[in-house]
Amino acid sequence: EFVQTFYVEADLPNLVFAATVADTVIFDGSITNRSDGALRADRTLTKGTVYSVVSRRVDVTADMLRSQGDIGERFAPFADRSEVVPFLSVPASTSDRTVELADQLRVAGSTYDTILSYQRWIGRNTRYDLDAPIPDGDAVDDFLFVSRLGFCEQIASSLVVMLRTQGIPARLATGYVPGERDRISGVFSVEARDAHAWV
């Protein structure tokens, strides 16, 4: 079990943060679990709101992820379904060289190894920079081939676009890293500087 307690310091929408898979939410109100897995409260979360979530952690291994095979091939028959289309579409500005790079780095038969291949290429060929320039054109093309500078948004956006060009449903999610843990109380302090983006 994984227990998280959230202390809301500024008014927020009704999105309830939780690690996957939430078993219990201790909250003064009603919670709805949407079909996409998002937890929503019956009201906005105002400053001073405190809630706790008990979640189950799944022990995910590289072997387990490899055993999933090629997700793009598995989703191909459903690519035109309305619930899948948003996670496969790429911006009209996506460059041919972005698609070519994604094709070149793809590992046949393994989405997991394809993702590792993309990560290795980005790690070797780009640099993390919070002051990355704002591009004039396509942000993914600029990050991968022009400035080669970016932070979590550019990195995650590039991975999402590359995966989608391979028929692999992907989305960009934003949130927060754990922040700093108070050794005495065991509570994590999560601040704006802990904001992050993931694929």
Side-chain angles (χ1 to χ4, degrees), residues 151-161 171-173 197-199:
F151 47 93
C152 58
E153 290 280 349
Q154 288 91 340
I155 296 166
S157 295
S158 297
L159 287 170
V160 165
V161 168
R171 66 179 177 172
L172 184 133
W198 295 268
V199 181

Side-chain angles (χ1 to χ4, degrees), residues 94-107 114 117-118 121 140-141 144-145 161-163 165-166:
T94 301
S95 67
D96 290 341
R97 61 185 177 177
T98 296
V99 177
E100 289 167 11
L101 178 64
D103 290 345
Q104 173 190 346
L105 296 174
R106 183 177 187 154
V107 177
T114 295
S117 175
Y118 292 171
W121 188 93
V140 170
D141 183 85
L144 295 174
F145 303 105
V161 168
M162 291 170 73
L163 288 167
T165 68
Q166 304 304 301

Side-chain angles (χ1 to χ4, degrees), residues 19-113:
T20 304
V21 171
D23 276 337
T24 306
V25 180
I26 302 161
F27 175 76
D28 186 21
S30 297
I31 302 289
T32 303
N33 189 351
R34 293 184 2 173
S35 61
D36 64 0
L39 299 175
R40 296 288 184 165
D42 59 353
R43 60 181 171 83
T44 58
L45 303 178
T46 56
K47 181 179 181 175
T49 299
V50 178
Y51 64 93
S52 294
V53 182
V54 180
S55 302
R56 282 180 285 125
R57 288 193 246 194
V58 177
D59 185 24
V60 178
T61 66
D63 288 340
M64 179 191 298
L65 294 171
R66 266 190 196 96
S67 74
Q68 300 301 307
D70 188 322
I71 303 299
E73 288 177 7
R74 289 177 35 204
F75 269 88
F78 313 104
D80 60 350
R81 292 184 58 169
S82 62
E83 60 270 26
V84 177
V85 168
F87 305 108
L88 288 174
S89 61
V90 296
S93 63
T94 301
S95 67
D96 290 341
R97 61 185 177 177
T98 296
V99 177
E100 289 167 11
L101 178 64
D103 290 345
Q104 173 190 346
L105 296 174
R106 183 177 187 154
V107 177
S110 176
T111 295
Y112 176 69
D113 288 312

Side-chain angles (χ1 to χ4, degrees), residues 163-183:
L163 288 167
R164 288 181 178 188
T165 68
Q166 304 304 301
I168 300 166
R171 66 179 177 172
L172 184 133
T174 57
Y176 296 88
V177 295
E180 294 185 26
R181 185 173 190 262
D182 183 289
R183 291 183 344 192

